[in-house]
Amino acid sequence: MSFASKYSSGSFLYPSPFSQQSGFVQTLMEKVKLHCCNVLIPVGEETYLIAKHKQKFLQHTNMAIPDYDQILIAHNKDRWGAMATELGIRCPATFEISDVRQGRVDGLPFPVLIKPKQGGGGWGIVQVDSPQEMESLLSRDDHWGRPWERFFIQQKIDGQTHCVAMLFRQGEYRAKVGYKQLRSYPIKCGQATLRISVEHKGAEESLQRLLEEMKWHGVCQADFIVEKCSGVPYLIDVNPRFWGSLAQGIACGVDFPYLVYKIAARGDVPSQASFSTGVVTRWIGGDLAAFMPSLRQAENKLAFLREYFRPHRRASDYDDLSLSDPLPFMSWMADALYRSVKKRGTQSRSHDSLEGIWE
């Protein structure tokens, strides 16, 4: 999409940072040197590989990203739990697949979720409601085409998903935004397609406490489930990089990419204690994909249609559409159509970042 933007002055293709790691590092290093890049801002999971070679890149450019060992703790859903619990941060109960398969766990708190230790976008997440269903599922040789060692079991918390994103400089807080998911894709456990900015002091204080303990440097986003009956936030996921709902922060007055640039290029930025609340943003592509599954699931379909199209839910900003720069969205539409035709009749498979694991 960025290739088509009027703000893009140039572009290049690089080897996969997942399946061709040495080629990726070499190519990116050559481009950094060739263009004398003052600041490098990785966005997706390539952040992890760049962090692994952080000192090498810092000889030629400036960055504001965590160390690789910090990323490994935050990225692995089965690693940050112990640290969070020691800090008094509520987390759902978790169980190893091997322990459940070998009968070393008594009384799983159904319903539970099977989740990947490394993953994203709802990939590999399955809800299990009974011991019989669990037994049937675990009798299979693998899960979603991956070995069981890549998954774990997590207690499901009944409540609303709240997200918090923060920026830190060498363990010190600099900025934040919080928002509540109104709709997501996949609809039960995926990325927010419609969200509204809200404050939740408990969730915000929990993430800040965790990042201060880790001496974090750069951006980080976390998902919480606010339990319906108690209002207590449970930490369920941590993303040690830029996140899918980045437009929300920018619309709320917290321009995370620019703040990261200023920390990398100039050393620091003033702290921002607050953000605008009540701001609605939308991911059009995801919301279109979520429409039919959400409609089928809705008990009152007319009420859902009113909610989906009602005027006061019109977003103030979009993840993927800018009327002043429409070509990226148009190129995405064309690419999505091409991919849907190409994969018709073939087995769906995970994206490139799930072909390997970070360790």
Side-chain angles (χ1 to χ4, degrees):
M1 292 175 69
S2 61
F3 284 16
S5 174
K6 68 180 184 181
Y7 299 107
S8 176
S9 61
S11 59
F12 64 93
L13 297 176
Y14 50 76
S16 168
F18 311 105
S19 59
Q20 304 175 62
Q21 294 189 359
S22 60
F24 170 82
V25 172
Q26 180 181 346
T27 299
L28 186 57
M29 185 68 72
E30 289 173 355
K31 296 297 182 181
V32 165
K33 294 177 181 178
L34 176 64
H35 298 290
C36 301
C37 295
N38 184 39
V39 173
L40 177 63
I41 304 180
V43 177
E45 282 198 19
E46 74 278 359
T47 303
Y48 310 160
L49 183 56
I50 292 172
K52 195 171 185 177
H53 299 271
K54 183 176 178 178
Q55 296 308 315
K56 186 185 300 184
F57 279 101
L58 286 176
Q59 295 176 21
H60 305 282
T61 188
N62 298 300
M63 299 185 296
I65 62 174
D67 293 336
Y68 187 58
D69 58 345
Q70 295 173 311
I71 284 177
L72 288 182
I73 294 172
H75 184 55
N76 285 272
K77 298 177 176 66
D78 60 335
R79 293 191 189 181
W80 47 255
M83 180 184 297
T85 301
E86 289 179 2
L87 295 171
I89 300 170
R90 293 282 190 95
C91 302
T94 59
F95 309 89
E96 287 292 332
I97 296 287
S98 58
D99 290 338
V100 176
R101 297 183 88 181
Q102 296 172 25
R104 293 195 291 264
V105 176
D106 293 325
L108 283 176
F110 292 99
V112 295
L113 301 172
I114 293 181
K115 303 177 71 173
K117 295 176 180 179
Q118 295 186 13
W123 177 83
I125 300 178
V126 173
Q127 179 173 321
V128 183
D129 297 314
S130 68
Q132 295 77 19
E133 189 179 346
M134 178 64 74
E135 183 178 356
S136 174
L137 196 59
L138 294 183
S139 66
R140 303 172 185 172
D141 293 333
D142 55 37
H143 182 61
W144 286 47
R146 297 293 184 274
W148 280 111
E149 290 75 16
R150 292 196 58 178
F151 299 88
F152 73 113
I153 298 172
Q154 186 180 77
Q155 174 191 12
K156 182 183 179 183
I157 305 298
D158 185 23
Q160 179 77 47
T161 302
H162 284 248
C163 306
V164 180
M166 289 187 171
L167 170 66
F168 270 65
R169 179 192 175 276
Q170 304 296 353
E172 297 181 353
Y173 165 86
R174 288 297 179 265
K176 67 181 176 183
V177 69
Y179 55 94
K180 179 170 62 176
Q181 290 192 184
L182 301 175
R183 197 159 46 241
S184 62
Y185 182 77
I187 58 175
K188 291 184 178 180
C189 51
Q191 180 180 324
T193 64
L194 187 71
R195 77 290 283 191
I196 184 169
S197 58
V198 295
E199 290 184 340
H200 194 291
K201 295 300 183 184
E204 293 166 18
E205 290 170 0
S206 293
L207 181 58
Q208 183 167 344
R209 195 154 64 243
L210 182 66
L211 297 180
E212 286 174 346
E213 177 68 18
M214 296 180 68
K215 307 298 183 188
W216 200 257
H217 187 61
V219 294
C220 188
Q221 184 264 359
D223 297 337
F224 294 82
I225 297 291
V226 178
E227 192 175 33
K228 184 182 297 184
C229 60
S230 67
V232 173
Y234 284 75
L235 178 62
I236 62 167
D237 198 10
V238 180
N239 293 304
R241 55 174 175 80
F242 282 109
W243 52 100
S245 301
L246 182 58
Q248 181 71 51
I250 298 172
C252 294
V254 186
D255 192 339
F256 284 102
Y258 183 53
L259 294 175
V260 167
Y261 161 77
K262 290 208 291 185
I263 287 178
R266 304 174 190 175
D268 204 357
V269 293
S271 293
Q272 295 184 222
S274 62
F275 56 91
S276 300
T277 58
V279 177
V280 176
T281 61
R282 191 175 191 179
W283 172 28
I284 295 178
D287 221 18
L288 290 173
F291 177 76
M292 286 308 298
S294 299
L295 180 62
R296 284 194 295 267
Q297 182 178 283
E299 294 181 4
N300 187 328
K301 291 180 170 45
L302 184 59
F304 167 76
L305 291 172
R306 283 199 298 265
E307 160 69 19
Y308 193 89
F309 294 108
R310 65 180 175 175
H312 76 268
R313 285 292 189 225
R314 287 177 182 164
S316 61
D317 208 348
Y318 300 93
D319 296 14
D320 46 6
L321 174 64
S322 169
L323 295 179
S324 64
D325 188 28
L327 285 181
F329 183 75
M330 294 170 63
S331 68
W332 171 82
M333 290 284 287
D335 182 67
L337 179 61
Y338 168 76
R339 289 174 183 267
S340 66
V341 172
K342 183 179 179 181
K343 75 176 183 180
R344 184 170 297 171
T346 63
Q347 184 178 2
S348 178
R349 64 195 302 270
S350 58
H351 55 80
D352 192 26
S353 65
L354 297 170
E355 295 301 320
I357 56 175
W358 301 103
E359 57 186 3

mmCIF file with all atom_site columns, all heavy atoms in Angstrom, residues 278-294:
data_model
loop_
_atom_site.group_PDB
_atom_site.id
_atom_site.type_symbol
_atom_site.label_atom_id
_atom_site.label_alt_id
_atom_site.label_comp_id
_atom_site.label_asym_id
_atom_site.label_entity_id
_atom_site.label_seq_id
_atom_site.pdbx_PDB_ins_code
_atom_site.Cartn_x
_atom_site.Cartn_y
_atom_site.Cartn_z
_atom_site.occupancy
_atom_site.B_iso_or_equiv
_atom_site.pdbx_formal_charge
_atom_site.auth_seq_id
_atom_site.auth_comp_id
_atom_site.auth_asym_id
_atom_site.auth_atom_id
_atom_site.pdbx_PDB_model_num
ATOM 1   N N   . GLY A 1 278 ? -13.239 9.441   23.430 1.00 0.00 ? 278 GLY A N   1
ATOM 2   C CA  . GLY A 1 278 ? -14.447 9.514   22.613 1.00 0.00 ? 278 GLY A CA  1
ATOM 3   C C   . GLY A 1 278 ? -14.188 9.561   21.123 1.00 0.00 ? 278 GLY A C   1
ATOM 4   O O   . GLY A 1 278 ? -15.117 9.765   20.333 1.00 0.00 ? 278 GLY A O   1
ATOM 5   N N   . VAL A 1 279 ? -12.938 9.343   20.703 1.00 0.00 ? 279 VAL A N   1
ATOM 6   C CA  . VAL A 1 279 ? -12.576 9.387   19.279 1.00 0.00 ? 279 VAL A CA  1
ATOM 7   C C   . VAL A 1 279 ? -12.774 8.003   18.680 1.00 0.00 ? 279 VAL A C   1
ATOM 8   O O   . VAL A 1 279 ? -12.269 7.002   19.204 1.00 0.00 ? 279 VAL A O   1
ATOM 9   C CB  . VAL A 1 279 ? -11.115 9.843   19.103 1.00 0.00 ? 279 VAL A CB  1
ATOM 10  C CG1 . VAL A 1 279 ? -10.723 9.822   17.625 1.00 0.00 ? 279 VAL A CG1 1
ATOM 11  C CG2 . VAL A 1 279 ? -10.909 11.232  19.695 1.00 0.00 ? 279 VAL A CG2 1
ATOM 12  N N   . VAL A 1 280 ? -13.499 7.927   17.565 1.00 0.00 ? 280 VAL A N   1
ATOM 13  C CA  . VAL A 1 280 ? -13.784 6.659   16.888 1.00 0.00 ? 280 VAL A CA  1
ATOM 14  C C   . VAL A 1 280 ? -12.926 6.552   15.634 1.00 0.00 ? 280 VAL A C   1
ATOM 15  O O   . VAL A 1 280 ? -12.848 7.496   14.839 1.00 0.00 ? 280 VAL A O   1
ATOM 16  C CB  . VAL A 1 280 ? -15.271 6.544   16.514 1.00 0.00 ? 280 VAL A CB  1
ATOM 17  C CG1 . VAL A 1 280 ? -15.545 5.264   15.719 1.00 0.00 ? 280 VAL A CG1 1
ATOM 18  C CG2 . VAL A 1 280 ? -16.140 6.573   17.769 1.00 0.00 ? 280 VAL A CG2 1
ATOM 19  N N   . THR A 1 281 ? -12.264 5.411   15.449 1.00 0.00 ? 281 THR A N   1
ATOM 20  C CA  . THR A 1 281 ? -11.523 5.141   14.213 1.00 0.00 ? 281 THR A CA  1
ATOM 21  C C   . THR A 1 281 ? -11.930 3.768   13.689 1.00 0.00 ? 281 THR A C   1
ATOM 22  O O   . THR A 1 281 ? -12.462 2.938   14.427 1.00 0.00 ? 281 THR A O   1
ATOM 23  C CB  . THR A 1 281 ? -10.001 5.182   14.428 1.00 0.00 ? 281 THR A CB  1
ATOM 24  O OG1 . THR A 1 281 ? -9.621  4.178   15.375 1.00 0.00 ? 281 THR A OG1 1
ATOM 25  C CG2 . THR A 1 281 ? -9.555  6.549   14.921 1.00 0.00 ? 281 THR A CG2 1
ATOM 26  N N   . ARG A 1 282 ? -11.639 3.551   12.416 1.00 0.00 ? 282 ARG A N   1
ATOM 27  C CA  . ARG A 1 282 ? -12.146 2.337   11.764 1.00 0.00 ? 282 ARG A CA  1
ATOM 28  C C   . ARG A 1 282 ? -11.146 1.788   10.766 1.00 0.00 ? 282 ARG A C   1
ATOM 29  O O   . ARG A 1 282 ? -10.467 2.544   10.050 1.00 0.00 ? 282 ARG A O   1
ATOM 30  C CB  . ARG A 1 282 ? -13.455 2.684   11.045 1.00 0.00 ? 282 ARG A CB  1
ATOM 31  C CG  . ARG A 1 282 ? -14.258 1.497   10.544 1.00 0.00 ? 282 ARG A CG  1
ATOM 32  C CD  . ARG A 1 282 ? -15.582 1.986   9.956  1.00 0.00 ? 282 ARG A CD  1
ATOM 33  N NE  . ARG A 1 282 ? -16.509 0.892   9.697  1.00 0.00 ? 282 ARG A NE  1
ATOM 34  C CZ  . ARG A 1 282 ? -17.739 1.065   9.209  1.00 0.00 ? 282 ARG A CZ  1
ATOM 35  N NH1 . ARG A 1 282 ? -18.188 2.280   8.948  1.00 0.00 ? 282 ARG A NH1 1
ATOM 36  N NH2 . ARG A 1 282 ? -18.516 0.018   8.988  1.00 0.00 ? 282 ARG A NH2 1
ATOM 37  N N   . TRP A 1 283 ? -11.047 0.488   10.726 1.00 0.00 ? 283 TRP A N   1
ATOM 38  C CA  . TRP A 1 283 ? -10.279 -0.233  9.703  1.00 0.00 ? 283 TRP A CA  1
ATOM 39  C C   . TRP A 1 283 ? -11.291 -0.754  8.700  1.00 0.00 ? 283 TRP A C   1
ATOM 40  O O   . TRP A 1 283 ? -11.982 -1.733  8.948  1.00 0.00 ? 283 TRP A O   1
ATOM 41  C CB  . TRP A 1 283 ? -9.497  -1.360  10.365 1.00 0.00 ? 283 TRP A CB  1
ATOM 42  C CG  . TRP A 1 283 ? -8.826  -2.299  9.406  1.00 0.00 ? 283 TRP A CG  1
ATOM 43  C CD1 . TRP A 1 283 ? -8.372  -2.027  8.143  1.00 0.00 ? 283 TRP A CD1 1
ATOM 44  C CD2 . TRP A 1 283 ? -8.547  -3.689  9.634  1.00 0.00 ? 283 TRP A CD2 1
ATOM 45  N NE1 . TRP A 1 283 ? -7.829  -3.152  7.574  1.00 0.00 ? 283 TRP A NE1 1
ATOM 46  C CE2 . TRP A 1 283 ? -7.918  -4.181  8.465  1.00 0.00 ? 283 TRP A CE2 1
ATOM 47  C CE3 . TRP A 1 283 ? -8.754  -4.545  10.706 1.00 0.00 ? 283 TRP A CE3 1
ATOM 48  C CZ2 . TRP A 1 283 ? -7.516  -5.514  8.351  1.00 0.00 ? 283 TRP A CZ2 1
ATOM 49  C CZ3 . TRP A 1 283 ? -8.342  -5.860  10.592 1.00 0.00 ? 283 TRP A CZ3 1
ATOM 50  C CH2 . TRP A 1 283 ? -7.730  -6.335  9.433  1.00 0.00 ? 283 TRP A CH2 1
ATOM 51  N N   . ILE A 1 284 ? -11.397 -0.092  7.558  1.00 0.00 ? 284 ILE A N   1
ATOM 52  C CA  . ILE A 1 284 ? -12.451 -0.393  6.596  1.00 0.00 ? 284 ILE A CA  1
ATOM 53  C C   . ILE A 1 284 ? -12.317 -1.815  6.053  1.00 0.00 ? 284 ILE A C   1
ATOM 54  O O   . ILE A 1 284 ? -13.299 -2.568  5.987  1.00 0.00 ? 284 ILE A O   1
ATOM 55  C CB  . ILE A 1 284 ? -12.438 0.623   5.436  1.00 0.00 ? 284 ILE A CB  1
ATOM 56  C CG1 . ILE A 1 284 ? -12.774 2.023   5.961  1.00 0.00 ? 284 ILE A CG1 1
ATOM 57  C CG2 . ILE A 1 284 ? -13.447 0.223   4.359  1.00 0.00 ? 284 ILE A CG2 1
ATOM 58  C CD1 . ILE A 1 284 ? -12.734 3.098   4.902  1.00 0.00 ? 284 ILE A CD1 1
ATOM 59  N N   . GLY A 1 285 ? -11.116 -2.200  5.656  1.00 0.00 ? 285 GLY A N   1
ATOM 60  C CA  . GLY A 1 285 ? -10.929 -3.535  5.093  1.00 0.00 ? 285 GLY A CA  1
ATOM 61  C C   . GLY A 1 285 ? -11.343 -4.626  6.060  1.00 0.00 ? 285 GLY A C   1
ATOM 62  O O   . GLY A 1 285 ? -12.055 -5.569  5.692  1.00 0.00 ? 285 GLY A O   1
ATOM 63  N N   . GLY A 1 286 ? -10.923 -4.511  7.312  1.00 0.00 ? 286 GLY A N   1
ATOM 64  C CA  . GLY A 1 286 ? -11.295 -5.500  8.309  1.00 0.00 ? 286 GLY A CA  1
ATOM 65  C C   . GLY A 1 286 ? -12.771 -5.463  8.641  1.00 0.00 ? 286 GLY A C   1
ATOM 66  O O   . GLY A 1 286 ? -13.400 -6.506  8.871  1.00 0.00 ? 286 GLY A O   1
ATOM 67  N N   . ASP A 1 287 ? -13.346 -4.264  8.674  1.00 0.00 ? 287 ASP A N   1
ATOM 68  C CA  . ASP A 1 287 ? -14.765 -4.139  9.010  1.00 0.00 ? 287 ASP A CA  1
ATOM 69  C C   . ASP A 1 287 ? -15.652 -4.718  7.902  1.00 0.00 ? 287 ASP A C   1
ATOM 70  O O   . ASP A 1 287 ? -16.710 -5.286  8.178  1.00 0.00 ? 287 ASP A O   1
ATOM 71  C CB  . ASP A 1 287 ? -15.119 -2.675  9.262  1.00 0.00 ? 287 ASP A CB  1
ATOM 72  C CG  . ASP A 1 287 ? -16.059 -2.499  10.449 1.00 0.00 ? 287 ASP A CG  1
ATOM 73  O OD1 . ASP A 1 287 ? -16.163 -3.431  11.270 1.00 0.00 ? 287 ASP A OD1 1
ATOM 74  O OD2 . ASP A 1 287 ? -16.682 -1.437  10.560 1.00 0.00 ? 287 ASP A OD2 1
ATOM 75  N N   . LEU A 1 288 ? -15.222 -4.582  6.660  1.00 0.00 ? 288 LEU A N   1
ATOM 76  C CA  . LEU A 1 288 ? -15.955 -5.212  5.564  1.00 0.00 ? 288 LEU A CA  1
ATOM 77  C C   . LEU A 1 288 ? -15.891 -6.737  5.685  1.00 0.00 ? 288 LEU A C   1
ATOM 78  O O   . LEU A 1 288 ? -16.895 -7.429  5.483  1.00 0.00 ? 288 LEU A O   1
ATOM 79  C CB  . LEU A 1 288 ? -15.383 -4.762  4.219  1.00 0.00 ? 288 LEU A CB  1
ATOM 80  C CG  . LEU A 1 288 ? -15.632 -3.305  3.823  1.00 0.00 ? 288 LEU A CG  1
ATOM 81  C CD1 . LEU A 1 288 ? -14.860 -2.964  2.545  1.00 0.00 ? 288 LEU A CD1 1
ATOM 82  C CD2 . LEU A 1 288 ? -17.124 -3.040  3.620  1.00 0.00 ? 288 LEU A CD2 1
ATOM 83  N N   . ALA A 1 289 ? -14.705 -7.245  6.026  1.00 0.00 ? 289 ALA A N   1
ATOM 84  C CA  . ALA A 1 289 ? -14.554 -8.694  6.191  1.00 0.00 ? 289 ALA A CA  1
ATOM 85  C C   . ALA A 1 289 ? -15.367 -9.210  7.378  1.00 0.00 ? 289 ALA A C   1
ATOM 86  O O   . ALA A 1 289 ? -15.847 -10.345 7.372  1.00 0.00 ? 289 ALA A O   1
ATOM 87  C CB  . ALA A 1 289 ? -13.077 -9.039  6.367  1.00 0.00 ? 289 ALA A CB  1
ATOM 88  N N   . ALA A 1 290 ? -15.535 -8.363  8.401  1.00 0.00 ? 290 ALA A N   1
ATOM 89  C CA  . ALA A 1 290 ? -16.255 -8.780  9.612  1.00 0.00 ? 290 ALA A CA  1
ATOM 90  C C   . ALA A 1 290 ? -17.772 -8.670  9.459  1.00 0.00 ? 290 ALA A C   1
ATOM 91  O O   . ALA A 1 290 ? -18.507 -9.190  10.300 1.00 0.00 ? 290 ALA A O   1
ATOM 92  C CB  . ALA A 1 290 ? -15.800 -7.931  10.797 1.00 0.00 ? 290 ALA A CB  1
ATOM 93  N N   . PHE A 1 291 ? -18.245 -8.027  8.401  1.00 0.00 ? 291 PHE A N   1
ATOM 94  C CA  . PHE A 1 291 ? -19.681 -7.727  8.294  1.00 0.00 ? 291 PHE A CA  1
ATOM 95  C C   . PHE A 1 291 ? -20.541 -8.988  8.289  1.00 0.00 ? 291 PHE A C   1
ATOM 96  O O   . PHE A 1 291 ? -21.450 -9.145  9.114  1.00 0.00 ? 291 PHE A O   1
ATOM 97  C CB  . PHE A 1 291 ? -19.954 -6.890  7.045  1.00 0.00 ? 291 PHE A CB  1
ATOM 98  C CG  . PHE A 1 291 ? -21.420 -6.613  6.834  1.00 0.00 ? 291 PHE A CG  1
ATOM 99  C CD1 . PHE A 1 291 ? -22.073 -5.675  7.602  1.00 0.00 ? 291 PHE A CD1 1
ATOM 100 C CD2 . PHE A 1 291 ? -22.141 -7.295  5.857  1.00 0.00 ? 291 PHE A CD2 1
ATOM 101 C CE1 . PHE A 1 291 ? -23.429 -5.412  7.421  1.00 0.00 ? 291 PHE A CE1 1
ATOM 102 C CE2 . PHE A 1 291 ? -23.493 -7.053  5.669  1.00 0.00 ? 291 PHE A CE2 1
ATOM 103 C CZ  . PHE A 1 291 ? -24.132 -6.104  6.451  1.00 0.00 ? 291 PHE A CZ  1
ATOM 104 N N   . MET A 1 292 ? -20.280 -9.907  7.374  1.00 0.00 ? 292 MET A N   1
ATOM 105 C CA  . MET A 1 292 ? -21.136 -11.089 7.261  1.00 0.00 ? 292 MET A CA  1
ATOM 106 C C   . MET A 1 292 ? -21.041 -12.003 8.480  1.00 0.00 ? 292 MET A C   1
ATOM 107 O O   . MET A 1 292 ? -22.080 -12.435 9.005  1.00 0.00 ? 292 MET A O   1
ATOM 108 C CB  . MET A 1 292 ? -20.820 -11.857 5.976  1.00 0.00 ? 292 MET A CB  1
ATOM 109 C CG  . MET A 1 292 ? -21.337 -11.177 4.714  1.00 0.00 ? 292 MET A CG  1
ATOM 110 S SD  . MET A 1 292 ? -23.102 -10.758 4.802  1.00 0.00 ? 292 MET A SD  1
ATOM 111 C CE  . MET A 1 292 ? -23.824 -12.392 4.977  1.00 0.00 ? 292 MET A CE  1
ATOM 112 N N   . PRO A 1 293 ? -19.831 -12.328 8.992  1.00 0.00 ? 293 PRO A N   1
ATOM 113 C CA  . PRO A 1 293 ? -19.782 -13.146 10.204 1.00 0.00 ? 293 PRO A CA  1
ATOM 114 C C   . PRO A 1 293 ? -20.469 -12.494 11.390 1.00 0.00 ? 293 PRO A C   1
ATOM 115 O O   . PRO A 1 293 ? -21.131 -13.158 12.184 1.00 0.00 ? 293 PRO A O   1
ATOM 116 C CB  . PRO A 1 293 ? -18.284 -13.325 10.468 1.00 0.00 ? 293 PRO A CB  1
ATOM 117 C CG  . PRO A 1 293 ? -17.575 -12.851 9.283  1.00 0.00 ? 293 PRO A CG  1
ATOM 118 C CD  . PRO A 1 293 ? -18.497 -12.072 8.438  1.00 0.00 ? 293 PRO A CD  1
ATOM 119 N N   . SER A 1 294 ? -20.329 -11.165 11.511 1.00 0.00 ? 294 SER A N   1
ATOM 120 C CA  . SER A 1 294 ? -20.978 -10.457 12.616 1.00 0.00 ? 294 SER A CA  1
ATOM 121 C C   . SER A 1 294 ? -22.491 -10.469 12.455 1.00 0.00 ? 294 SER A C   1
ATOM 122 O O   . SER A 1 294 ? -23.228 -10.633 13.439 1.00 0.00 ? 294 SER A O   1
ATOM 123 C CB  . SER A 1 294 ? -20.475 -9.010  12.693 1.00 0.00 ? 294 SER A CB  1
ATOM 124 O OG  . SER A 1 294 ? -19.085 -8.961  12.918 1.00 0.00 ? 294 SER A OG  1
#
